[in-house]
Amino acid sequence: MPDGRYWIQGVHEPVPTPPDFVYLRQAPDGSGWETGVYERGAHHPVGRHRTEAAACAHFRTLAL
């Protein structure tokens, strides 16, 4: 996947921020991890995960 098509919190954060991408980040409420799609200036969660490993596994399916 091209560098500008994904964003991983604290690991891979393209600059400038692309207009749309898949992402993996800590859940905003700190309760786990979130995977999703960023489009039109907003995060759209697709999955919430209790562990980082589970979030990474799901992120790989989104990034294909």
Side-chain angles (χ1 to χ4, degrees):
M1 170 169 274
D3 282 350
R5 304 296 297 173
Y6 70 97
W7 186 90
I8 301 172
Q9 182 179 20
V11 176
H12 180 79
E13 300 177 7
V15 175
T17 301
D20 59 336
F21 52 87
V22 295
Y23 68 86
L24 185 153
R25 69 179 184 174
Q26 253 187 322
D29 64 5
S31 66
W33 295 86
E34 182 179 280
T35 52
V37 179
Y38 181 87
E39 294 178 304
R40 300 181 184 158
H43 289 89
H44 302 280
V46 175
R48 291 186 57 95
H49 313 276
R50 296 185 77 167
T51 67
E52 184 178 8
C56 288
H58 185 243
F59 179 75
R60 283 193 304 267
T61 68
L62 295 176
L64 293 177

